[in-house]
Amino acid sequence: MASAPVRKLSRDLHRQRVHQRVRTRVAGTAERPRLCVYRALGHIYAQVIDDRSGRTLASAGSIDAETKKKLKGGGNIAAAKVIGKTIAERAKAAGVSKVVFDRGGYKYHGRVKALADAAREAGLQF
């Protein structure tokens, strides 16, 4: 008896499925909004989101004109550190000090970890 062929998922589809699984447990509230990370090949982005009201409280990305001046490239660990510091500053300006970290289905490694560590060093608690 022949077994059914195994369908291999694309890398992005797999990440999206992992993210959906994580999102069943992680939700941002007004007290602890969600710090969401999106990692593209050439850039990295972060948002602080209150899921109950559906509002983005703060955002930062390596493509922003303000942060682009500080960066040599957008898709490296140095850029992730700058974005982590920037998102923490913008979140504090919006009155947010505690967040829930949403890694977006990515492994907690490399750029995602660098962004999280920089945000922690800049004063965000999660």
Short mmCIF file of all heavy atoms in Angstrom, two decimals, residues 51-121:
data_model
loop_
_atom_site.label_atom_id
_atom_site.label_comp_id
_atom_site.label_asym_id
_atom_site.label_seq_id
_atom_site.Cartn_x
_atom_site.Cartn_y
_atom_site.Cartn_z
N ASP A 51 -5.04 45.06 20.84
CA ASP A 51 -5.95 44.23 20.04
C ASP A 51 -7.42 44.44 20.40
O ASP A 51 -8.28 44.26 19.55
CB ASP A 51 -5.59 42.75 20.20
CG ASP A 51 -4.30 42.41 19.49
OD1 ASP A 51 -4.12 42.85 18.35
OD2 ASP A 51 -3.45 41.71 20.09
N ARG A 52 -7.70 44.81 21.62
CA ARG A 52 -9.10 45.00 22.01
C ARG A 52 -9.73 46.18 21.30
O ARG A 52 -10.89 46.12 20.90
CB ARG A 52 -9.20 45.16 23.52
CG ARG A 52 -8.87 43.87 24.23
CD ARG A 52 -9.47 43.80 25.60
NE ARG A 52 -9.13 42.52 26.21
CZ ARG A 52 -8.87 42.38 27.48
NH1 ARG A 52 -8.91 43.41 28.28
NH2 ARG A 52 -8.57 41.19 27.95
N SER A 53 -8.97 47.27 21.17
CA SER A 53 -9.52 48.44 20.46
C SER A 53 -9.13 48.44 18.99
O SER A 53 -9.65 49.25 18.22
CB SER A 53 -9.05 49.73 21.13
OG SER A 53 -7.65 49.88 20.98
N GLY A 54 -8.18 47.56 18.60
CA GLY A 54 -7.77 47.48 17.21
C GLY A 54 -6.90 48.65 16.77
O GLY A 54 -6.91 49.03 15.61
N ARG A 55 -6.15 49.23 17.72
CA ARG A 55 -5.32 50.40 17.41
C ARG A 55 -3.85 50.08 17.51
O ARG A 55 -3.42 49.33 18.39
CB ARG A 55 -5.64 51.53 18.39
CG ARG A 55 -6.98 52.17 18.15
CD ARG A 55 -7.23 53.36 19.06
NE ARG A 55 -6.07 54.19 19.22
CZ ARG A 55 -5.67 54.69 20.39
NH1 ARG A 55 -6.34 54.45 21.48
NH2 ARG A 55 -4.59 55.45 20.45
N THR A 56 -3.06 50.69 16.64
CA THR A 56 -1.61 50.63 16.73
C THR A 56 -1.17 51.84 17.55
O THR A 56 -1.43 52.98 17.16
CB THR A 56 -0.97 50.66 15.34
OG1 THR A 56 -1.41 49.52 14.61
CG2 THR A 56 0.54 50.64 15.43
N LEU A 57 -0.52 51.59 18.68
CA LEU A 57 -0.11 52.66 19.58
C LEU A 57 1.23 53.26 19.19
O LEU A 57 1.45 54.46 19.39
CB LEU A 57 -0.07 52.14 21.02
CG LEU A 57 -1.35 51.46 21.51
CD1 LEU A 57 -1.14 50.85 22.87
CD2 LEU A 57 -2.49 52.45 21.53
N ALA A 58 2.14 52.44 18.66
CA ALA A 58 3.45 52.92 18.25
C ALA A 58 3.98 51.96 17.18
O ALA A 58 3.65 50.77 17.17
CB ALA A 58 4.41 52.96 19.43
N SER A 59 4.80 52.50 16.29
CA SER A 59 5.41 51.64 15.28
C SER A 59 6.79 52.18 14.93
O SER A 59 7.08 53.36 15.09
CB SER A 59 4.54 51.58 14.02
OG SER A 59 4.50 52.84 13.40
N ALA A 60 7.63 51.28 14.45
CA ALA A 60 8.97 51.63 13.99
C ALA A 60 9.41 50.62 12.95
O ALA A 60 9.00 49.45 13.01
CB ALA A 60 9.96 51.66 15.16
N GLY A 61 10.20 51.05 12.03
CA GLY A 61 10.70 50.15 11.00
C GLY A 61 12.00 50.67 10.43
O GLY A 61 12.30 51.86 10.52
N SER A 62 12.74 49.79 9.83
CA SER A 62 14.02 50.19 9.26
C SER A 62 13.85 50.99 7.98
O SER A 62 14.82 51.47 7.41
CB SER A 62 14.89 48.95 8.99
OG SER A 62 14.23 48.07 8.11
N ILE A 63 12.61 51.17 7.55
CA ILE A 63 12.33 51.92 6.33
C ILE A 63 11.91 53.36 6.66
O ILE A 63 11.84 54.20 5.78
CB ILE A 63 11.27 51.19 5.49
CG1 ILE A 63 11.37 51.56 4.04
CG2 ILE A 63 9.89 51.40 6.05
CD1 ILE A 63 10.64 50.62 3.12
N ASP A 64 11.65 53.66 7.95
CA ASP A 64 11.29 55.02 8.37
C ASP A 64 12.41 55.99 8.04
O ASP A 64 13.59 55.68 8.20
CB ASP A 64 11.04 55.09 9.88
CG ASP A 64 9.82 54.31 10.32
OD1 ASP A 64 9.02 53.94 9.44
OD2 ASP A 64 9.69 54.06 11.53
N ALA A 65 12.05 57.19 7.63
CA ALA A 65 13.04 58.21 7.28
C ALA A 65 13.90 58.58 8.48
O ALA A 65 15.12 58.77 8.36
CB ALA A 65 12.35 59.45 6.73
N GLU A 66 13.28 58.64 9.66
CA GLU A 66 14.00 59.02 10.88
C GLU A 66 15.04 57.97 11.28
O GLU A 66 16.16 58.31 11.65
CB GLU A 66 12.98 59.19 12.00
CG GLU A 66 13.54 59.69 13.29
CD GLU A 66 12.46 59.80 14.35
OE1 GLU A 66 11.39 60.37 14.05
OE2 GLU A 66 12.69 59.31 15.47
N THR A 67 14.68 56.70 11.22
CA THR A 67 15.60 55.64 11.64
C THR A 67 16.55 55.23 10.52
O THR A 67 17.62 54.69 10.80
CB THR A 67 14.82 54.40 12.12
OG1 THR A 67 13.93 53.98 11.09
CG2 THR A 67 14.06 54.69 13.37
N LYS A 68 16.18 55.49 9.28
CA LYS A 68 17.02 55.10 8.15
C LYS A 68 18.36 55.82 8.18
O LYS A 68 19.38 55.28 7.74
CB LYS A 68 16.29 55.41 6.84
CG LYS A 68 16.68 54.54 5.69
CD LYS A 68 15.75 54.80 4.52
CE LYS A 68 15.86 53.66 3.55
NZ LYS A 68 14.99 53.81 2.42
N LYS A 69 18.38 57.04 8.74
CA LYS A 69 19.61 57.82 8.84
C LYS A 69 20.63 57.14 9.74
O LYS A 69 21.83 57.29 9.53
CB LYS A 69 19.30 59.22 9.39
CG LYS A 69 18.40 60.03 8.51
CD LYS A 69 18.01 61.32 9.20
CE LYS A 69 16.89 62.02 8.46
NZ LYS A 69 16.36 63.16 9.21
N LYS A 70 20.15 56.39 10.75
CA LYS A 70 21.02 55.75 11.72
C LYS A 70 21.56 54.40 11.23
O LYS A 70 22.43 53.83 11.87
CB LYS A 70 20.27 55.54 13.03
CG LYS A 70 19.71 56.78 13.65
CD LYS A 70 18.88 56.42 14.86
CE LYS A 70 18.13 57.62 15.40
NZ LYS A 70 17.23 57.26 16.50
N LEU A 71 21.02 53.89 10.12
CA LEU A 71 21.31 52.53 9.68
C LEU A 71 22.17 52.50 8.43
O LEU A 71 22.07 53.37 7.57
CB LEU A 71 20.01 51.79 9.39
CG LEU A 71 18.96 51.74 10.49
CD1 LEU A 71 17.71 51.10 9.98
CD2 LEU A 71 19.49 50.99 11.68
N LYS A 72 22.96 51.45 8.34
CA LYS A 72 23.71 51.20 7.11
C LYS A 72 22.88 50.33 6.18
O LYS A 72 22.84 50.52 4.98
CB LYS A 72 25.03 50.52 7.45
CG LYS A 72 25.99 50.44 6.30
CD LYS A 72 27.36 49.98 6.73
CE LYS A 72 28.33 50.05 5.58
NZ LYS A 72 29.67 49.62 5.97
N GLY A 73 22.19 49.35 6.74
CA GLY A 73 21.29 48.47 5.99
C GLY A 73 20.10 48.15 6.88
O GLY A 73 20.16 48.31 8.09
N GLY A 74 19.03 47.67 6.29
CA GLY A 74 17.82 47.44 7.07
C GLY A 74 17.62 46.01 7.52
O GLY A 74 16.81 45.75 8.39
N GLY A 75 18.34 45.05 6.95
CA GLY A 75 18.08 43.66 7.23
C GLY A 75 19.17 42.98 8.03
O GLY A 75 19.49 41.82 7.78
N ASN A 76 19.75 43.68 9.00
CA ASN A 76 20.81 43.07 9.80
C ASN A 76 20.55 43.26 11.29
O ASN A 76 19.59 43.93 11.68
CB ASN A 76 22.18 43.63 9.40
CG ASN A 76 22.22 45.14 9.45
OD1 ASN A 76 21.45 45.77 10.17
ND2 ASN A 76 23.12 45.72 8.68
N ILE A 77 21.39 42.68 12.11
CA ILE A 77 21.20 42.73 13.56
C ILE A 77 21.36 44.15 14.09
O ILE A 77 20.64 44.57 15.00
CB ILE A 77 22.15 41.74 14.26
CG1 ILE A 77 21.68 40.31 13.98
CG2 ILE A 77 22.21 41.99 15.76
CD1 ILE A 77 22.55 39.22 14.55
N ALA A 78 22.28 44.93 13.52
CA ALA A 78 22.46 46.32 13.96
C ALA A 78 21.18 47.12 13.75
O ALA A 78 20.78 47.92 14.60
CB ALA A 78 23.62 46.95 13.20
N ALA A 79 20.50 46.90 12.63
CA ALA A 79 19.24 47.59 12.36
C ALA A 79 18.17 47.15 13.35
O ALA A 79 17.38 47.97 13.83
CB ALA A 79 18.78 47.31 10.93
N ALA A 80 18.14 45.86 13.69
CA ALA A 80 17.16 45.35 14.64
C ALA A 80 17.35 45.99 16.01
O ALA A 80 16.37 46.31 16.69
CB ALA A 80 17.26 43.84 14.74
N LYS A 81 18.59 46.22 16.41
CA LYS A 81 18.86 46.86 17.69
C LYS A 81 18.35 48.30 17.69
O LYS A 81 17.76 48.77 18.66
CB LYS A 81 20.36 46.83 18.00
CG LYS A 81 20.86 45.45 18.35
CD LYS A 81 22.35 45.46 18.60
CE LYS A 81 22.87 44.06 18.88
NZ LYS A 81 24.32 44.04 19.08
N VAL A 82 18.58 49.02 16.60
CA VAL A 82 18.11 50.41 16.49
C VAL A 82 16.58 50.45 16.53
O VAL A 82 15.99 51.29 17.22
CB VAL A 82 18.65 51.07 15.21
CG1 VAL A 82 18.00 52.42 14.97
CG2 VAL A 82 20.16 51.22 15.28
N ILE A 83 15.93 49.53 15.83
CA ILE A 83 14.46 49.49 15.79
C ILE A 83 13.92 49.12 17.17
O ILE A 83 12.90 49.67 17.62
CB ILE A 83 13.95 48.51 14.71
CG1 ILE A 83 14.42 48.96 13.33
CG2 ILE A 83 12.44 48.39 14.75
CD1 ILE A 83 14.06 50.39 12.98
N GLY A 84 14.57 48.21 17.88
CA GLY A 84 14.15 47.84 19.23
C GLY A 84 14.21 49.04 20.18
O GLY A 84 13.28 49.27 20.97
N LYS A 85 15.26 49.80 20.09
CA LYS A 85 15.40 51.00 20.93
C LYS A 85 14.36 52.04 20.55
O LYS A 85 13.72 52.65 21.41
CB LYS A 85 16.80 51.57 20.77
CG LYS A 85 17.08 52.74 21.67
CD LYS A 85 18.49 53.26 21.50
CE LYS A 85 18.70 54.47 22.39
NZ LYS A 85 19.89 55.20 22.05
N THR A 86 14.14 52.22 19.25
CA THR A 86 13.17 53.21 18.76
C THR A 86 11.75 52.86 19.17
O THR A 86 10.99 53.73 19.62
CB THR A 86 13.27 53.33 17.23
OG1 THR A 86 14.61 53.64 16.87
CG2 THR A 86 12.35 54.41 16.71
N ILE A 87 11.38 51.59 19.04
CA ILE A 87 10.01 51.19 19.38
C ILE A 87 9.78 51.34 20.88
O ILE A 87 8.69 51.72 21.31
CB ILE A 87 9.66 49.75 18.89
CG1 ILE A 87 8.14 49.50 18.98
CG2 ILE A 87 10.40 48.69 19.65
CD1 ILE A 87 7.31 50.27 18.04
N ALA A 88 10.80 51.08 21.69
CA ALA A 88 10.66 51.26 23.13
C ALA A 88 10.45 52.73 23.48
O ALA A 88 9.60 53.07 24.31
CB ALA A 88 11.89 50.72 23.85
N GLU A 89 11.20 53.62 22.84
CA GLU A 89 11.05 55.06 23.08
C GLU A 89 9.67 55.54 22.66
O GLU A 89 9.02 56.31 23.38
CB GLU A 89 12.13 55.84 22.34
CG GLU A 89 13.52 55.63 22.89
CD GLU A 89 14.61 56.16 21.96
OE1 GLU A 89 14.29 56.63 20.84
OE2 GLU A 89 15.79 56.09 22.36
N ARG A 90 9.20 55.10 21.49
CA ARG A 90 7.90 55.51 21.00
C ARG A 90 6.77 54.93 21.84
O ARG A 90 5.74 55.59 22.05
CB ARG A 90 7.73 55.12 19.54
CG ARG A 90 8.65 55.93 18.63
CD ARG A 90 8.49 55.55 17.18
NE ARG A 90 9.44 56.27 16.35
CZ ARG A 90 9.59 56.09 15.05
NH1 ARG A 90 8.82 55.22 14.40
NH2 ARG A 90 10.48 56.78 14.37
N ALA A 91 6.94 53.72 22.35
CA ALA A 91 5.92 53.12 23.21
C ALA A 91 5.85 53.86 24.54
O ALA A 91 4.75 54.12 25.05
CB ALA A 91 6.24 51.65 23.45
N LYS A 92 7.00 54.22 25.09
CA LYS A 92 7.01 54.98 26.34
C LYS A 92 6.36 56.34 26.15
O LYS A 92 5.64 56.82 27.03
CB LYS A 92 8.44 55.14 26.85
CG LYS A 92 9.00 53.89 27.47
CD LYS A 92 10.42 54.14 27.88
CE LYS A 92 10.73 53.48 29.19
NZ LYS A 92 12.09 53.79 29.63
N ALA A 93 6.59 56.96 24.99
CA ALA A 93 5.96 58.25 24.70
C ALA A 93 4.43 58.10 24.60
O ALA A 93 3.69 59.03 24.91
CB ALA A 93 6.51 58.83 23.41
N ALA A 94 3.97 56.93 24.19
CA ALA A 94 2.53 56.65 24.11
C ALA A 94 1.95 56.18 25.44
O ALA A 94 0.76 55.88 25.52
CB ALA A 94 2.26 55.61 23.03
N GLY A 95 2.81 56.10 26.48
CA GLY A 95 2.34 55.70 27.80
C GLY A 95 2.34 54.21 28.06
O GLY A 95 1.65 53.73 28.95
N VAL A 96 3.13 53.47 27.31
CA VAL A 96 3.19 52.00 27.45
C VAL A 96 4.54 51.61 28.03
O VAL A 96 5.59 52.03 27.52
CB VAL A 96 3.00 51.32 26.08
CG1 VAL A 96 3.18 49.82 26.21
CG2 VAL A 96 1.67 51.66 25.49
N SER A 97 4.53 50.83 29.13
CA SER A 97 5.79 50.37 29.71
C SER A 97 5.88 48.84 29.73
O SER A 97 6.97 48.29 29.73
CB SER A 97 5.96 50.91 31.12
OG SER A 97 4.90 50.46 31.94
N LYS A 98 4.72 48.15 29.72
CA LYS A 98 4.70 46.69 29.72
C LYS A 98 4.01 46.21 28.45
O LYS A 98 2.95 46.72 28.08
CB LYS A 98 3.94 46.15 30.93
CG LYS A 98 4.64 46.39 32.24
CD LYS A 98 3.87 45.74 33.36
CE LYS A 98 4.61 45.91 34.67
NZ LYS A 98 3.92 45.25 35.77
N VAL A 99 4.62 45.21 27.80
CA VAL A 99 4.06 44.66 26.56
C VAL A 99 4.12 43.14 26.61
O VAL A 99 4.82 42.55 27.43
CB VAL A 99 4.82 45.15 25.31
CG1 VAL A 99 4.65 46.64 25.12
CG2 VAL A 99 6.28 44.77 25.35
N VAL A 100 3.36 42.52 25.71
CA VAL A 100 3.44 41.09 25.46
C VAL A 100 4.18 40.93 24.14
O VAL A 100 3.84 41.57 23.15
CB VAL A 100 2.02 40.47 25.34
CG1 VAL A 100 2.11 39.01 25.01
CG2 VAL A 100 1.24 40.71 26.60
N PHE A 101 5.23 40.11 24.12
CA PHE A 101 6.05 39.98 22.92
C PHE A 101 5.46 38.95 21.97
O PHE A 101 5.17 37.82 22.35
CB PHE A 101 7.49 39.59 23.28
CG PHE A 101 8.43 39.64 22.12
CD1 PHE A 101 8.76 40.85 21.52
CD2 PHE A 101 9.01 38.49 21.63
CE1 PHE A 101 9.62 40.90 20.45
CE2 PHE A 101 9.87 38.53 20.56
CZ PHE A 101 10.19 39.74 19.97
N ASP A 102 5.26 39.36 20.72
CA ASP A 102 4.76 38.48 19.66
C ASP A 102 5.86 38.39 18.61
O ASP A 102 6.10 39.34 17.87
CB ASP A 102 3.48 39.07 19.07
CG ASP A 102 2.95 38.28 17.89
OD1 ASP A 102 3.45 37.16 17.65
OD2 ASP A 102 2.03 38.78 17.23
N ARG A 103 6.51 37.25 18.53
CA ARG A 103 7.64 37.09 17.62
C ARG A 103 7.22 36.87 16.19
O ARG A 103 8.06 36.73 15.30
CB ARG A 103 8.57 35.98 18.11
CG ARG A 103 7.89 34.65 18.25
CD ARG A 103 8.78 33.62 18.93
NE ARG A 103 8.04 32.42 19.21
CZ ARG A 103 7.85 31.43 18.37
NH1 ARG A 103 8.36 31.50 17.16
NH2 ARG A 103 7.17 30.37 18.71
N GLY A 104 5.94 36.82 15.93
CA GLY A 104 5.43 36.75 14.56
C GLY A 104 5.64 35.42 13.87
O GLY A 104 5.62 35.35 12.64
N GLY A 105 5.86 34.36 14.63
CA GLY A 105 6.08 33.05 14.02
C GLY A 105 7.54 32.79 13.69
O GLY A 105 7.87 31.70 13.23
N TYR A 106 8.39 33.77 13.92
CA TYR A 106 9.82 33.60 13.66
C TYR A 106 10.48 32.96 14.88
O TYR A 106 9.97 33.07 16.00
CB TYR A 106 10.50 34.95 13.39
CG TYR A 106 9.90 35.71 12.26
CD1 TYR A 106 9.09 36.82 12.49
CD2 TYR A 106 10.12 35.33 10.94
CE1 TYR A 106 8.53 37.53 11.44
CE2 TYR A 106 9.55 36.03 9.89
CZ TYR A 106 8.75 37.12 10.15
OH TYR A 106 8.19 37.81 9.12
N LYS A 107 11.63 32.33 14.68
CA LYS A 107 12.38 31.80 15.80
C LYS A 107 12.93 32.97 16.62
O LYS A 107 13.27 34.01 16.09
CB LYS A 107 13.57 30.96 15.31
CG LYS A 107 13.17 29.66 14.68
CD LYS A 107 14.40 28.88 14.27
CE LYS A 107 14.01 27.58 13.63
NZ LYS A 107 15.20 26.81 13.20
N TYR A 108 12.99 32.78 17.93
CA TYR A 108 13.55 33.81 18.81
C TYR A 108 15.07 33.69 18.71
O TYR A 108 15.72 33.06 19.54
CB TYR A 108 13.06 33.60 20.24
CG TYR A 108 13.46 34.71 21.16
CD1 TYR A 108 12.79 35.92 21.14
CD2 TYR A 108 14.50 34.57 22.06
CE1 TYR A 108 13.14 36.95 21.97
CE2 TYR A 108 14.87 35.59 22.88
CZ TYR A 108 14.20 36.78 22.84
OH TYR A 108 14.56 37.80 23.68
N HIS A 109 15.59 34.31 17.67
CA HIS A 109 16.99 34.11 17.31
C HIS A 109 17.39 35.24 16.37
O HIS A 109 16.55 35.79 15.66
CB HIS A 109 17.09 32.75 16.60
CG HIS A 109 18.43 32.43 16.05
ND1 HIS A 109 19.48 32.09 16.83
CD2 HIS A 109 18.90 32.42 14.78
CE1 HIS A 109 20.55 31.86 16.07
NE2 HIS A 109 20.21 32.06 14.82
N GLY A 110 18.64 35.63 16.38
CA GLY A 110 19.13 36.61 15.41
C GLY A 110 18.49 37.98 15.55
O GLY A 110 18.52 38.59 16.61
N ARG A 111 17.89 38.46 14.46
CA ARG A 111 17.32 39.81 14.44
C ARG A 111 16.15 39.99 15.40
O ARG A 111 15.99 41.04 16.01
CB ARG A 111 16.87 40.18 13.03
CG ARG A 111 18.03 40.38 12.08
CD ARG A 111 17.54 40.92 10.76
NE ARG A 111 16.97 39.87 9.94
CZ ARG A 111 16.20 40.09 8.89
NH1 ARG A 111 15.86 41.31 8.56
NH2 ARG A 111 15.74 39.10 8.17
N VAL A 112 15.32 38.96 15.52
CA VAL A 112 14.17 39.04 16.42
C VAL A 112 14.65 39.16 17.87
O VAL A 112 14.15 39.99 18.65
CB VAL A 112 13.24 37.83 16.24
CG1 VAL A 112 12.10 37.85 17.23
CG2 VAL A 112 12.71 37.80 14.81
N LYS A 113 15.63 38.38 18.24
CA LYS A 113 16.18 38.42 19.60
C LYS A 113 16.88 39.75 19.84
O LYS A 113 16.75 40.34 20.92
CB LYS A 113 17.16 37.27 19.80
CG LYS A 113 17.71 37.16 21.20
CD LYS A 113 18.60 35.94 21.33
CE LYS A 113 19.03 35.67 22.74
NZ LYS A 113 19.91 36.67 23.30
N ALA A 114 17.62 40.26 18.85
CA ALA A 114 18.31 41.54 19.00
C ALA A 114 17.32 42.68 19.21
O ALA A 114 17.54 43.56 20.05
CB ALA A 114 19.17 41.81 17.77
N LEU A 115 16.20 42.66 18.48
CA LEU A 115 15.17 43.68 18.64
C LEU A 115 14.57 43.61 20.05
O LEU A 115 14.41 44.63 20.72
CB LEU A 115 14.08 43.50 17.59
CG LEU A 115 13.02 44.59 17.51
CD1 LEU A 115 12.64 44.82 16.06
CD2 LEU A 115 11.80 44.26 18.31
N ALA A 116 14.27 42.40 20.51
CA ALA A 116 13.67 42.23 21.84
C ALA A 116 14.63 42.68 22.94
O ALA A 116 14.23 43.37 23.88
CB ALA A 116 13.27 40.77 22.05
N ASP A 117 15.90 42.31 22.83
CA ASP A 117 16.89 42.70 23.84
C ASP A 117 17.07 44.21 23.88
O ASP A 117 17.18 44.80 24.96
CB ASP A 117 18.23 42.01 23.57
CG ASP A 117 18.17 40.51 23.82
OD1 ASP A 117 17.23 40.05 24.52
OD2 ASP A 117 19.07 39.80 23.32
N ALA A 118 17.10 44.85 22.72
CA ALA A 118 17.26 46.31 22.66
C ALA A 118 16.05 47.01 23.25
O ALA A 118 16.18 48.03 23.94
CB ALA A 118 17.49 46.76 21.22
N ALA A 119 14.85 46.47 23.02
CA ALA A 119 13.64 47.07 23.59
C ALA A 119 13.64 46.93 25.11
O ALA A 119 13.25 47.85 25.82
CB ALA A 119 12.40 46.41 22.99
N ARG A 120 14.12 45.78 25.61
CA ARG A 120 14.21 45.59 27.05
C ARG A 120 15.21 46.57 27.67
O ARG A 120 14.95 47.15 28.71
CB ARG A 120 14.67 44.16 27.37
CG ARG A 120 13.56 43.17 27.39
CD ARG A 120 14.00 41.87 28.03
NE ARG A 120 13.07 40.82 27.68
CZ ARG A 120 13.27 39.90 26.75
NH1 ARG A 120 14.37 39.89 26.06
NH2 ARG A 120 12.36 38.99 26.51
N GLU A 121 16.37 46.72 27.02
CA GLU A 121 17.40 47.63 27.54
C GLU A 121 16.90 49.08 27.55
O GLU A 121 17.29 49.86 28.40
CB GLU A 121 18.67 47.53 26.69
CG GLU A 121 19.45 46.27 26.91
CD GLU A 121 20.62 46.13 25.95
OE1 GLU A 121 21.02 47.14 25.34
OE2 GLU A 121 21.12 45.00 25.81
#
